[in-house]
């Protein structure tokens, strides 16, 4: 399948890069968080609060399985925790080319500070939480990725140019 899938930590720019890439490549864009919220008719924060994280993770896998039946030539951005499950990484590979938008903890902190929509970053010391989670997750993101793009200090158009350059013929 020839979808382009964007993965990476919360706040690395998946949603914005996804939207811009969809304009540039004239492809539609899908976001797994938004698909889950639409189906559940409630926000991610509400789902975490009412059902817990394990329930949400199961919905993410369901969402990928559905995309495998329907999505082609699309841009797909996925929640920051989705690539941690082995089954999800296999599904991502089947769906298309996987691009990891890699950001430093400080870049992520600048983008998400003050955000109240991400349950995993609430309370305590957010920068410390980001650094810890990022260290744990980076190997999984790399394992899932066909291409790694470092986003720190880059404009969105630079990031898009790099994605196009790296994916080359795979975008045709
Ligand atoms: C999560 C990332 C969020 C969302 C949920 C859990 C994570 O998506 O799926 O809050 O575990 O990293 P974004 O990466 O789009 O913020």
């Amino acid at each position: 399948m020839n979808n382009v899938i964007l993965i990476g930590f919360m706040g690395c720019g998946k949603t914005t890069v996804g939207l811009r890439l969809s304009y540039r490549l004239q492809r539609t864009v899908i976001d797994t968080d938004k698909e889950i919220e639409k189906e559940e008719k409630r926000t991610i924060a509400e789902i975490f609060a009412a059902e817990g994280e394990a329930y949400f993770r199961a919905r993410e896998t369901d969402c990928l399985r559905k995309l495998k039946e329907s999505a082609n030539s699309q841009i797909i951005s996925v929640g920051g925790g989705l690539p941690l499950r082995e089954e999800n990484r296999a599904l991502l590979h089947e769906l298309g080319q996987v691009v990891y938008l890699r950001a430093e903890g400080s870049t992520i902190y600048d983008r998400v500070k003050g955000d109240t929509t991400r349950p995993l970053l609430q309370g305590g010391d957010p920068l410390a939480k980001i650094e810890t989670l990022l260290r744990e997750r980076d190997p999984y993101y790399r394992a899932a990725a066909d291409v790694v793009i470092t986003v720190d200090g880059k404009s969105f158009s630079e990031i898009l140019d790099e994605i196009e350059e790296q994916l080359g013929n795979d975008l045709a």
Side-chain angles (χ1 to χ4, degrees):
M1 299 176 83
N2 69 341
N3 301 289
V4 176
I5 303 115
L6 301 170
I7 67 167
F9 202 83
M10 293 170 263
C12 70
K14 290 166 295 196
T15 306
T16 308
V17 170
L19 272 174
R20 291 188 178 225
L21 202 56
S22 85
Y23 292 131
R24 206 190 262 204
L25 301 177
Q26 294 293 295
R27 295 184 181 203
T28 48
V29 64
I30 297 178
D31 181 277
T32 56
D33 284 344
K34 293 203 183 95
E35 291 298 302
I36 293 168
E37 287 185 331
K38 238 190 287 169
E39 274 197 12
E40 292 272 329
K41 299 187 178 61
R42 48 189 172 167
T43 65
I44 304 287
E46 286 166 346
I47 299 169
F48 265 70
E51 319 287 349
E53 184 174 351
Y55 176 88
F56 174 71
R57 297 303 174 199
R59 299 288 73 73
E60 288 188 312
T61 303
D62 291 345
C63 182
L64 286 185
R65 290 201 192 111
K66 277 193 201 136
L67 288 177
K68 246 199 80 191
E69 303 308 313
S70 61
N72 214 5
S73 295
Q74 293 189 322
I75 312 294
I76 304 172
S77 57
V78 309
L82 181 144
L84 305 183
R85 268 197 187 188
E86 191 177 353
E87 178 182 2
N88 293 351
R89 291 197 295 280
L91 285 163
L92 292 176
H93 271 300
E94 289 172 38
L95 276 163
Q97 294 293 308
V98 181
V99 178
Y100 171 23
L101 301 179
R102 193 185 179 285
E104 293 295 332
S106 52
T107 303
I108 289 163
Y109 177 69
D110 280 344
R111 295 199 188 162
V112 303
K113 63 180 175 223
D115 177 292
T116 55
T117 66
R118 293 174 169 105
L120 296 181
L121 299 181
Q122 304 312 303
D125 174 350
L127 180 58
K129 277 190 187 172
I130 290 166
E131 297 284 9
T132 305
L133 276 177
L134 193 55
R135 246 193 324 273
E136 282 169 16
R137 290 178 170 194
D138 186 67
Y140 295 101
Y141 293 144
R142 288 181 188 278
D146 297 296
V147 168
V148 181
I149 310 267
T150 301
V151 301
D152 307 282
K154 289 180 187 157
S155 68
F156 282 110
S157 53
E158 284 172 321
I159 296 167
L160 259 54
D161 288 346
E162 266 193 52
I163 293 174
E164 280 199 285
E165 203 180 293
Q166 296 269 346
L167 291 182
N169 291 336
D170 290 324
L171 288 178

